[in-house]
Amino acid sequence: MAVKLLLEKAHVEGIRTYDVYRREGGYRAVEKALKSMSPEAIVEEVKKSGLRGRGGAGFPTGMKWSFIAKPEGVPRHLVCNADESEPGTFKDRYLMEFIPHLLIEGLIISSFALGSNATYIYIRGEYAWIPDILEQAIAEAKANGWLGKNILGTGFDCEIYVQRGAGAYICGEETALIESLEGKRGNPRIKPPFPAVKGVWDRPTVVNNVETLAAVVPIINLTGEEYAKIGVGRSTGTKLISACGNINKPGVYEIDMTISVEEFIYSDEYCGGIANGKRLKACIPGGSSVPILPANLLFKTAKGETRYMNYESLSDGGFATGSMMGSGGFIVLDEDQCVVKHTYTLARFYRHESCGQCSPCREGTGWMEKILKNIDTGKGKMSDIDLLWDIQRKIEGNTICPLGDAAAWPVAAAIRHFRDEFEWHVLNPEESQVRNFGLAHYADAREVVA
Amino acid sequence: MHRRFVASAARNKKTSHSAPGPCVKIIAMSELFKVTIDNITIEVPAGTTILQAARKIGGEVAPPAMCYYSKLKGSGGKCRTCLVEVSKGSEKDPRPMPKLVASCRTTVMDGMEVKNITSEKVIDARAGVVEFLLLNHPLDCPICDQAGECHLQDLSYEHGKEGTRFEFQKRTFHKHDLGPYIQLHMTRCILCYRCVFTADQLTNKRVHGVLSRGDHAEIATYIEKSLDNDFIGNVIDVCPVGALTDKTFRFKNRVWFTKPVDAHRDCDKCCGEVQLWMRGDEVFRVTARKDEWGEIKDSSKGSTGWICNECRFEKKFASDWTIEGPTQVNRHSVISQGHYVGLKKPNETFEKVMNGREPRLFMDIHSVSEVNKPEIQLSLIHGPAHSDDFKENNKD
C-alpha cells in the first residue's frame, strides 16, 4: 500500500548499472524535461509539487530555485549536498549506494532547470567507496549521451563532478560546503549574501540535499500536481527515514508521510517494534540536532492528537512539546538508555565538530560537554542543570550558522523533558553509575492506554 | 528561520536585479537612509552597516566589536559581541528580524529601527558572549603587555560579570615565536581572524592561519615558520588582545606609564606616520596611529596608515623621528587616562603652595635602590629587565 517513488527499483538486480536502470524506465524524466519542458516550466512543476528540502530545514525547493540570481554572463551552479554527517541519518548513503543513477538523473534535470553547466556533488569523506560508484554512474551516463555537450540535441551542456570532503560535519552547512568546495577551510560564511546570489566562486548557487534532487525525477515523471497528492497538507511526496536505535528492523524506509509515528515504530512493515521486548523511552525523530521527545509526547501531541510522520505534525507544539522532521534520522531509545549519557555523547560530538569561528558555539559547546560529563560521571551539582540551560539559551540564535542551534536544541530538550533524570544523577552519584534511571513517568504511551 | 534567510535573499536579489552596473551604484551611494538606533535617528548612505552608523552617533550607542575591523575587508561577524536587535526591518518591510543580528555585517535599510543598549535581549546575549570569550582566556592581565589597551579588558569591564561559572581547566597552548619581532600567545587569542585578514591583504603570501577547529582552533604557521614581511608587524596593532605582542617591547613597561607622541619620518616603505610611546626621552614602542575605536587611522595621504617593520621595530630613538606633539587618545580605556587630555597647568608655583619654602629632596631613591637606575635605558635591555642588568651596570 505504501507509495514508493525513490526506492521502488532500489532492489532490482544490477540497478546500479546504467543498462538495468535504463531498462527499468530510468532517464525517462530527463528525456521528458529536456525535450518538452523549458527550465521555467520545470521550476514551476517543482513549485507545484510542494517538494520541501529533505536536508533538514524543510524549505520549499521550488521557491529556493526561483530565488537564484540570473545576472548576464555569470555562470550558475548547482551543488548537491551529499555531506550527510548528522548522527542517525544515512538515507542519502543508501540512495547513492544502491541507485546512483536516480541522483544523476535528478541532477541533470535540476541543472537544466537552474542553468548550471558545472554541477558538483560534495560528498563526505567517510563515504569512501561511494564516490567511485557515483563516478562510475556519471561515466556511464556520459557515455550514453546524458551528460557532456549538447545533451539530447538541446544545446544544453552539463558536467557533474564529485568532490570529496575531508570529514567535517560543518561542511554540510551550505556556505561551509561552498567554502570547502572552493578549497578553503570549511567555515560557514556570514549571510547575507546568500548562496543564491553569491555562492561558489561568488556565482549564484543552489545547494540541495541528495534526496531532494532525486525527488525531482518522480515529480517530472508524475507531474507536480500528482506528486502533491501524495502525502498530506504541506508535507507532500515521500520521505526517506533512516531508522536506528533499539528497534527490531533498523534501516532506510520510504514513507508517504501519512502514517503515524506509532505505526512507524511498531508496524512490521517499518521498524517492527522495540528490540528485545523492551519499552519505548524516547525518540529523536529527525537526526541528532532536533529535540528529543519522550514517549508520552511522541505518539500524541500535547493537544491529544495523533502524531504523524510529517513536517507539521512532528513540529506540533513548537519546541515545548514537539520536535522536527529534520533530515529523517529516526533514533529510538528504549528503557535501558540513559538520557544524560546520550546528551553528553551528542554534546561531545558538537564540541568536536564546531568550526571555532564564532565565540558562542566555539566556547559554549565545550563548556556544555564538560558539565554534562561531570553530571554523567556522578560529579555534577544541582546548579549545573540550570547552568546548562542558561548556556544553551545563550548559544541558540546567536551564532553564524545553525550548528550553534543544533548543539543547543538537544541539550535544551533533554533538560526540558528529562529534568528529573538529570536531578537523579546529581542526587545519586553512585547509584547512577551502576544502573539506569529507567522509564519513570515517560512510560510507554501504549502501556498507559492499555 | 531558514525561510527568512531565503526570503531576504529574495529581497537582496531584487535590489541587485534592479541595480546592475556602476551607474546605479552611484545613485545608491548618494542615497541616504534614515536609521534609528536606540531612539537616536541618523542619516547614513546606503550600504553602511549598523555598526558604522552607530559609531557615527558614538558613545554607548556604538556596539563593541572584537573581530570587526573597518580597514580589513571581510572581517567581522565572528565574535558576536556587536549583536543588536532590529525591531523594525525597514519602512517598506517593517517586520522585526527574528534573531539578533551582527551589526558589523548587517547593512542599514531605510527606516530601520535598531535597539542596542535599550534591548534586554541584547544586553543578555552580550553578557553571554563576554562570558564565552573569557572561558578559555587566561586572564593574565597583570603580566600581559596588552593590559591597559586591551579590547577584551574594556569589553569585560563594561559588559561582563564579576565572576565566572566555568569550573574547569582552561585550554592552553605553548608560546610561539613568529620570527624575531612577534610572539604568539595563543592561550590569550579569541580567534577574531584579524591577523589572518591583515596578512592576506597587506602581504603577498600569508604564512600563518587557523589550524584545527572548535575550541582547539589555533593561529599557527603549522611548522614554526617566522613571519617575515615588511608589513607583518601590523598584526600586533590589529590584535584586540595580547595574543600577538611586540618582542621589542615585551615586559619593558606598562602601556599606561608610557606617553604617546605623534611622530613621523621619511620612510620609503610606508607612510612613516606613527605614535611613539615614550617615557622620558626613551622610545619604548612604536605603533601606528589609532582612532577612538582602536583602529589604525588613515595617513595624511589618505590611505590606511599601516606602518612597516623598520619603523615599528628598528627606529627606537627619539632622534630617528620628527616629533609632532602629544597624541590625544580618545579611546575610553586605561591608556587614555592622564594623557594630556584636558590638562590644566596650575598657576601657583611650588614656593607659593609651600608658603615661600623651597621644595627639598628627602631621599634620592636612585641612590639607595639597586634596581632603579635612571641612567639604564630599560628599552635597550634585551628581553625583560632583570636585577642582573642593574648590577652589571653598577660594576661598570
Side-chain angles (χ1 to χ4, degrees), chain B residues 89-101:
Chain B
S90 69
E91 209 56 69
K92 282 178 202 150
D93 182 7
R95 285 178 302 167
M97 293 192 183
K99 292 203 287 185
L100 302 182
V101 296

Side-chain angles (χ1 to χ4, degrees), chain A residues 172-310:
Chain A
E173 198 275 341
E174 60 178 358
T175 53
L177 186 152
I178 288 170
E179 286 277 304
S180 176
L181 189 63
E182 289 180 4
K184 299 177 190 156
R185 181 185 161 84
N187 275 359
R189 289 181 183 171
I190 294 144
K191 288 174 270 188
F194 292 85
V197 181
K198 272 188 175 185
V200 188
W201 300 294
D202 284 354
R203 297 165 183 173
T205 305
V206 165
V207 183
N208 273 135
N209 180 258
V210 170
E211 193 193 339
T212 317
L213 292 166
V216 173
V217 177
I219 289 171
I220 298 299
N221 279 333
L222 292 173
T223 74
E225 278 102 5
E226 285 302 310
Y227 186 87
K229 284 179 191 160
I230 304 162
V232 57
R234 288 182 58 229
S235 303
T236 60
T238 59
K239 172 93 186 81
L240 297 183
I241 303 284
S242 49
C244 63
N246 308 109
I247 46 174
N248 280 321
K249 288 164 62 189
V252 178
Y253 298 99
E254 186 167 4
I255 59 162
D256 66 5
M257 300 205 256
T258 54
I259 60 167
S260 67
V261 179
E262 188 173 358
E263 188 190 343
F264 185 73
I265 294 181
Y266 288 101
S267 137
D268 280 336
E269 196 183 341
Y270 302 108
C271 301
I274 308 298
N276 306 322
K278 300 274 184 189
R279 292 174 300 171
L280 174 70
K281 180 176 185 175
C283 171
I284 304 169
S288 66
S289 310
V290 310
I292 189 171
L293 278 183
N296 54 348
L297 281 171
L298 186 61
F299 297 151
K300 293 257 189 289
T301 64
K303 286 177 247 160
E305 294 158 3
T306 310
R307 208 185 275 281
Y308 292 97
M309 293 288 290
N310 62 43

Side-chain angles (χ1 to χ4, degrees), chain B residues 28-83:
Chain B
M29 287 290 279
S30 61
E31 205 177 345
L32 283 179
F33 281 171
K34 216 175 244 177
V35 53
T36 307
I37 305 169
D38 286 339
N39 303 321
I40 301 169
T41 307
I42 186 175
E43 280 196 342
V44 291
T48 312
T49 59
I50 298 174
L51 185 85
Q52 289 293 15
R55 280 184 178 181
K56 276 193 180 166
I57 299 171
E60 291 193 341
V61 173
M66 298 298 290
C67 65
Y68 174 76
Y69 206 78
S70 61
K71 316 288 183 206
L72 295 171
K73 232 182 114 211
S75 66
K78 297 181 190 343
C79 68
R80 317 308 282 178
T81 53
C82 69
L83 290 174

Side-chain angles (χ1 to χ4, degrees), chain B residues 10-25:
Chain B
R11 276 204 295 278
N12 273 1
K13 198 198 81 185
K14 233 177 247 167
T15 47
S16 68
H17 239 316
S18 62
C23 63
V24 187
K25 217 177 189 179

Side-chain angles (χ1 to χ4, degrees), chain A residues 20-78:
Chain A
V20 179
Y21 183 75
R22 178 72 175 143
R23 196 176 65 228
E24 292 290 330
Y27 289 98
R28 263 189 308 144
V30 178
E31 271 182 315
K32 181 179 172 188
L34 265 64
K35 283 188 174 159
S36 66
M37 295 169 83
S38 67
E40 292 74 31
I42 299 172
V43 175
E44 203 48 46
E45 210 61 36
V46 173
K47 265 189 186 168
K48 274 188 219 156
S49 74
L51 175 67
R52 292 170 70 173
R54 301 296 197 228
F59 187 80
T61 308
M63 207 186 283
K64 190 174 187 175
W65 285 10
S66 62
F67 288 151
I68 191 167
K70 290 177 179 164
E72 277 301 310
V74 181
R76 299 186 285 275
H77 291 289
L78 170 68

Side-chain angles (χ1 to χ4, degrees), chain B residues 141-151 153-154 236-237 242 245-246 249-261 275-279 284-287 290 329 331 333-340:
Chain B
C141 309
I143 56 149
C144 177
D145 283 303
Q146 189 85 3
E149 55 176 13
C150 174
H151 289 254
Q153 256 183 341
D154 295 349
I236 299 165
D237 276 347
T245 48
D246 181 343
F249 178 62
R250 272 169 65 78
F251 304 129
K252 291 286 161 61
N253 224 314
R254 306 298 337 204
V255 290
W256 56 87
F257 289 144
T258 57
K259 304 286 180 205
V261 173
Q275 248 171 48
L276 305 179
W277 296 79
M278 301 175 75
R279 196 166 175 188
F284 274 84
R285 185 168 70 134
V286 183
T287 65
K290 294 184 183 178
V329 177
R331 231 182 100 194
S333 186
V334 181
I335 47 161
S336 62
Q337 301 306 308
H339 277 165
Y340 316 111

Side-chain angles (χ1 to χ4, degrees), chain A residues 388-446:
Chain A
L388 268 179
W389 182 264
D390 194 49
I391 298 170
Q392 70 80 19
R393 200 173 57 81
K394 282 179 171 149
I395 299 175
E396 194 208 333
N398 292 341
T399 54
I400 295 174
C401 79
L403 192 136
D405 302 343
W409 290 341
V411 176
I415 296 175
R416 188 184 292 123
H417 299 303
F418 297 92
R419 194 181 177 106
D420 45 357
E421 188 161 343
F422 281 84
E423 285 173 357
W424 179 78
H425 265 259
V426 172
L427 294 173
N428 304 286
E430 276 147 34
E431 201 184 346
S432 68
Q433 300 308 301
V434 289
R435 78 169 183 91
N436 272 318
F437 182 67
L439 276 181
H441 66 262
Y442 328 108
D444 195 327
R446 288 191 140 198

